Amino acid sequence: MTIAENLQHIQTKLPKTVTLVAVSKTKPVNDLKQAYEVGQRIFGENKIQEMAEKREEMPKDIQWHMIGHVQSNKVKYMAPFVSLIHGVDSLKLLQEINKQATKNNRIIDCLLQLHIAEEETKFGLDEQELNELISSSEFAAMQNIQILGLMGMATFTDNQKQVKKEFTHLKSIFDTLKAKNPVHCNLQTISMGMSGDYQLAIECGSTMVRIGSSIFGGR
Ligand SMILES: *Cc1c(COP(=O)(O)O)cnc(C)c1O
């Protein structure tokens, strides 16, 4: 199947309330253009330099999402244009995003990444760290960031029960946080679900799926 066919196939399976981020990391600009031609406007990349380079070559009405782990010293390269940063998992990183957003005279939308998987290697905050961050005076002082929601990655396993448990956990953390109505937050987005598990993620309350290989093929 072509990229256009893959995209259209996935679109038919997504409820209207779920936003599709086409994860184009490692893929050539030509592949992104094929997705663009059939209407895709949100692309996800996991390396800042690669995202900035592709942006130069692509139409200007694209929303670029940073979905990977972000190094603080590289935030400045995406601060002028990034539309949503999914993987924010420390106060220090958020402070750097706020600083660079201020320099660019804009507010940068972010998701806080929660650690919901069993694997040790995946980045993210636990619920207590999330609450500490949100209620800190440093967080309150930031004026150029907005938290739109949470992001999480499930354990890489065939065990659907396990994955479902982790997605449900993220959804419940989101609901609890939303009920507190914290400062600098406009909570509406739960970014969870990839090629292998997005249908389950949607059943568990995802509002944004990040899909790469099912659109563009394996990497
Ligand atoms: C690569 C990546 C994806 C997409 O993974 P696929 O399995 O190819 O759909 C989603 N989220 C993050 C954070 C990624 O790094």
Side-chain angles (χ1 to χ4, degrees), residues 146-163:
Q146 172 170 245
I147 306 299
L148 286 192
L150 303 179
M151 179 268 209
M153 286 168 89
T155 304
F156 189 70
T157 171
D158 287 335
N159 183 345
Q160 296 289 293
K161 254 181 86 181
Q162 171 78 21
V163 173

PDB file of all heavy atoms in Angstrom, residues 146-163:
ATOM      1  N   GLN A 146       2.396  26.609  28.056  1.00  0.00           N
ATOM      2  CA  GLN A 146       1.049  26.170  28.394  1.00  0.00           C
ATOM      3  C   GLN A 146       1.029  24.640  28.334  1.00  0.00           C
ATOM      4  O   GLN A 146       1.490  24.056  27.356  1.00  0.00           O
ATOM      5  CB  GLN A 146       0.040  26.742  27.407  1.00  0.00           C
ATOM      6  CG  GLN A 146      -1.366  26.166  27.598  1.00  0.00           C
ATOM      7  CD  GLN A 146      -2.412  26.906  26.783  1.00  0.00           C
ATOM      8  OE1 GLN A 146      -3.297  27.538  27.320  1.00  0.00           O
ATOM      9  NE2 GLN A 146      -2.296  26.804  25.460  1.00  0.00           N
ATOM     10  N   ILE A 147       0.489  24.016  29.383  1.00  0.00           N
ATOM     11  CA  ILE A 147       0.408  22.557  29.413  1.00  0.00           C
ATOM     12  C   ILE A 147      -0.948  22.127  28.845  1.00  0.00           C
ATOM     13  O   ILE A 147      -1.995  22.423  29.420  1.00  0.00           O
ATOM     14  CB  ILE A 147       0.555  22.016  30.861  1.00  0.00           C
ATOM     15  CG1 ILE A 147       1.840  22.543  31.527  1.00  0.00           C
ATOM     16  CG2 ILE A 147       0.533  20.482  30.861  1.00  0.00           C
ATOM     17  CD1 ILE A 147       3.124  22.156  30.852  1.00  0.00           C
ATOM     18  N   LEU A 148      -0.879  21.430  27.725  1.00  0.00           N
ATOM     19  CA  LEU A 148      -2.120  20.997  27.071  1.00  0.00           C
ATOM     20  C   LEU A 148      -2.561  19.600  27.489  1.00  0.00           C
ATOM     21  O   LEU A 148      -3.665  19.181  27.160  1.00  0.00           O
ATOM     22  CB  LEU A 148      -1.961  21.005  25.545  1.00  0.00           C
ATOM     23  CG  LEU A 148      -1.946  22.340  24.810  1.00  0.00           C
ATOM     24  CD1 LEU A 148      -2.088  22.124  23.322  1.00  0.00           C
ATOM     25  CD2 LEU A 148      -3.051  23.257  25.316  1.00  0.00           C
ATOM     26  N   GLY A 149      -1.673  18.875  28.168  1.00  0.00           N
ATOM     27  CA  GLY A 149      -2.074  17.526  28.577  1.00  0.00           C
ATOM     28  C   GLY A 149      -0.893  16.651  28.899  1.00  0.00           C
ATOM     29  O   GLY A 149       0.183  17.145  29.252  1.00  0.00           O
ATOM     30  N   LEU A 150      -1.121  15.347  28.778  1.00  0.00           N
ATOM     31  CA  LEU A 150      -0.113  14.365  29.157  1.00  0.00           C
ATOM     32  C   LEU A 150       0.212  13.445  27.990  1.00  0.00           C
ATOM     33  O   LEU A 150      -0.602  13.245  27.087  1.00  0.00           O
ATOM     34  CB  LEU A 150      -0.616  13.510  30.332  1.00  0.00           C
ATOM     35  CG  LEU A 150      -1.039  14.257  31.605  1.00  0.00           C
ATOM     36  CD1 LEU A 150      -1.538  13.255  32.651  1.00  0.00           C
ATOM     37  CD2 LEU A 150       0.102  15.095  32.170  1.00  0.00           C
ATOM     38  N   MET A 151       1.410  12.880  28.044  1.00  0.00           N
ATOM     39  CA  MET A 151       1.848  11.915  27.034  1.00  0.00           C
ATOM     40  C   MET A 151       2.438  10.705  27.743  1.00  0.00           C
ATOM     41  O   MET A 151       3.045  10.841  28.808  1.00  0.00           O
ATOM     42  CB  MET A 151       2.907  12.577  26.150  1.00  0.00           C
ATOM     43  CG  MET A 151       3.483  11.702  25.060  1.00  0.00           C
ATOM     44  SD  MET A 151       4.977  10.803  25.553  1.00  0.00           S
ATOM     45  CE  MET A 151       5.784  10.659  23.973  1.00  0.00           C
ATOM     46  N   GLY A 152       2.225   9.529  27.156  1.00  0.00           N
ATOM     47  CA  GLY A 152       2.818   8.339  27.753  1.00  0.00           C
ATOM     48  C   GLY A 152       3.017   7.247  26.723  1.00  0.00           C
ATOM     49  O   GLY A 152       2.368   7.232  25.672  1.00  0.00           O
ATOM     50  N   MET A 153       3.948   6.360  27.026  1.00  0.00           N
ATOM     51  CA  MET A 153       4.207   5.201  26.182  1.00  0.00           C
ATOM     52  C   MET A 153       4.043   3.933  27.007  1.00  0.00           C
ATOM     53  O   MET A 153       4.625   3.812  28.077  1.00  0.00           O
ATOM     54  CB  MET A 153       5.635   5.252  25.630  1.00  0.00           C
ATOM     55  CG  MET A 153       5.818   6.287  24.541  1.00  0.00           C
ATOM     56  SD  MET A 153       7.566   6.546  24.195  1.00  0.00           S
ATOM     57  CE  MET A 153       7.807   5.289  22.944  1.00  0.00           C
ATOM     58  N   ALA A 154       3.262   2.992  26.463  1.00  0.00           N
ATOM     59  CA  ALA A 154       3.050   1.736  27.168  1.00  0.00           C
ATOM     60  C   ALA A 154       4.263   0.818  27.007  1.00  0.00           C
ATOM     61  O   ALA A 154       5.108   1.032  26.139  1.00  0.00           O
ATOM     62  CB  ALA A 154       1.797   1.044  26.634  1.00  0.00           C
ATOM     63  N   THR A 155       4.311  -0.189  27.844  1.00  0.00           N
ATOM     64  CA  THR A 155       5.344  -1.219  27.721  1.00  0.00           C
ATOM     65  C   THR A 155       5.277  -1.872  26.342  1.00  0.00           C
ATOM     66  O   THR A 155       4.187  -2.067  25.798  1.00  0.00           O
ATOM     67  CB  THR A 155       5.123  -2.300  28.804  1.00  0.00           C
ATOM     68  OG1 THR A 155       5.099  -1.669  30.085  1.00  0.00           O
ATOM     69  CG2 THR A 155       6.223  -3.354  28.781  1.00  0.00           C
ATOM     70  N   PHE A 156       6.442  -2.183  25.780  1.00  0.00           N
ATOM     71  CA  PHE A 156       6.502  -2.854  24.484  1.00  0.00           C
ATOM     72  C   PHE A 156       6.260  -4.350  24.708  1.00  0.00           C
ATOM     73  O   PHE A 156       7.162  -5.114  25.007  1.00  0.00           O
ATOM     74  CB  PHE A 156       7.863  -2.610  23.835  1.00  0.00           C
ATOM     75  CG  PHE A 156       7.931  -3.086  22.418  1.00  0.00           C
ATOM     76  CD1 PHE A 156       7.220  -2.427  21.417  1.00  0.00           C
ATOM     77  CD2 PHE A 156       8.695  -4.193  22.081  1.00  0.00           C
ATOM     78  CE1 PHE A 156       7.279  -2.874  20.099  1.00  0.00           C
ATOM     79  CE2 PHE A 156       8.760  -4.642  20.762  1.00  0.00           C
ATOM     80  CZ  PHE A 156       8.051  -3.988  19.774  1.00  0.00           C
ATOM     81  N   THR A 157       4.998  -4.752  24.592  1.00  0.00           N
ATOM     82  CA  THR A 157       4.642  -6.144  24.886  1.00  0.00           C
ATOM     83  C   THR A 157       3.388  -6.525  24.102  1.00  0.00           C
ATOM     84  O   THR A 157       2.618  -5.655  23.699  1.00  0.00           O
ATOM     85  CB  THR A 157       4.356  -6.330  26.400  1.00  0.00           C
ATOM     86  OG1 THR A 157       3.818  -7.641  26.624  1.00  0.00           O
ATOM     87  CG2 THR A 157       3.339  -5.312  26.912  1.00  0.00           C
ATOM     88  N   ASP A 158       3.199  -7.820  23.900  1.00  0.00           N
ATOM     89  CA  ASP A 158       1.974  -8.301  23.260  1.00  0.00           C
ATOM     90  C   ASP A 158       0.835  -8.447  24.269  1.00  0.00           C
ATOM     91  O   ASP A 158      -0.303  -8.710  23.901  1.00  0.00           O
ATOM     92  CB  ASP A 158       2.218  -9.681  22.618  1.00  0.00           C
ATOM     93  CG  ASP A 158       3.065  -9.569  21.364  1.00  0.00           C
ATOM     94  OD1 ASP A 158       3.057  -8.480  20.750  1.00  0.00           O
ATOM     95  OD2 ASP A 158       3.734 -10.556  21.012  1.00  0.00           O
ATOM     96  N   ASN A 159       1.159  -8.277  25.536  1.00  0.00           N
ATOM     97  CA  ASN A 159       0.171  -8.473  26.592  1.00  0.00           C
ATOM     98  C   ASN A 159      -0.808  -7.290  26.632  1.00  0.00           C
ATOM     99  O   ASN A 159      -0.534  -6.240  27.204  1.00  0.00           O
ATOM    100  CB  ASN A 159       0.904  -8.623  27.931  1.00  0.00           C
ATOM    101  CG  ASN A 159      -0.046  -8.911  29.076  1.00  0.00           C
ATOM    102  OD1 ASN A 159      -1.262  -8.729  28.962  1.00  0.00           O
ATOM    103  ND2 ASN A 159       0.510  -9.360  30.187  1.00  0.00           N
ATOM    104  N   GLN A 160      -1.967  -7.479  25.994  1.00  0.00           N
ATOM    105  CA  GLN A 160      -2.946  -6.398  25.860  1.00  0.00           C
ATOM    106  C   GLN A 160      -3.468  -5.928  27.219  1.00  0.00           C
ATOM    107  O   GLN A 160      -3.775  -4.754  27.400  1.00  0.00           O
ATOM    108  CB  GLN A 160      -4.126  -6.883  25.002  1.00  0.00           C
ATOM    109  CG  GLN A 160      -3.739  -7.215  23.579  1.00  0.00           C
ATOM    110  CD  GLN A 160      -3.416  -5.975  22.761  1.00  0.00           C
ATOM    111  OE1 GLN A 160      -4.285  -5.161  22.481  1.00  0.00           O
ATOM    112  NE2 GLN A 160      -2.158  -5.813  22.382  1.00  0.00           N
ATOM    113  N   LYS A 161      -3.571  -6.864  28.146  1.00  0.00           N
ATOM    114  CA  LYS A 161      -4.068  -6.502  29.472  1.00  0.00           C
ATOM    115  C   LYS A 161      -3.134  -5.519  30.158  1.00  0.00           C
ATOM    116  O   LYS A 161      -3.564  -4.548  30.777  1.00  0.00           O
ATOM    117  CB  LYS A 161      -4.192  -7.765  30.340  1.00  0.00           C
ATOM    118  CG  LYS A 161      -5.630  -8.219  30.551  1.00  0.00           C
ATOM    119  CD  LYS A 161      -5.707  -9.452  31.430  1.00  0.00           C
ATOM    120  CE  LYS A 161      -5.727  -9.098  32.909  1.00  0.00           C
ATOM    121  NZ  LYS A 161      -5.786 -10.339  33.750  1.00  0.00           N
ATOM    122  N   GLN A 162      -1.854  -5.793  30.004  1.00  0.00           N
ATOM    123  CA  GLN A 162      -0.827  -4.918  30.586  1.00  0.00           C
ATOM    124  C   GLN A 162      -0.892  -3.512  29.960  1.00  0.00           C
ATOM    125  O   GLN A 162      -0.903  -2.498  30.668  1.00  0.00           O
ATOM    126  CB  GLN A 162       0.556  -5.551  30.330  1.00  0.00           C
ATOM    127  CG  GLN A 162       1.743  -4.666  30.684  1.00  0.00           C
ATOM    128  CD  GLN A 162       2.017  -4.639  32.174  1.00  0.00           C
ATOM    129  OE1 GLN A 162       1.592  -5.549  32.897  1.00  0.00           O
ATOM    130  NE2 GLN A 162       2.699  -3.608  32.640  1.00  0.00           N
ATOM    131  N   VAL A 163      -0.939  -3.475  28.637  1.00  0.00           N
ATOM    132  CA  VAL A 163      -0.964  -2.190  27.923  1.00  0.00           C
ATOM    133  C   VAL A 163      -2.219  -1.406  28.308  1.00  0.00           C
ATOM    134  O   VAL A 163      -2.175  -0.205  28.575  1.00  0.00           O
ATOM    135  CB  VAL A 163      -0.893  -2.420  26.393  1.00  0.00           C
ATOM    136  CG1 VAL A 163      -1.083  -1.117  25.630  1.00  0.00           C
ATOM    137  CG2 VAL A 163       0.447  -3.066  26.016  1.00  0.00           C
TER     138      VAL A 163
END
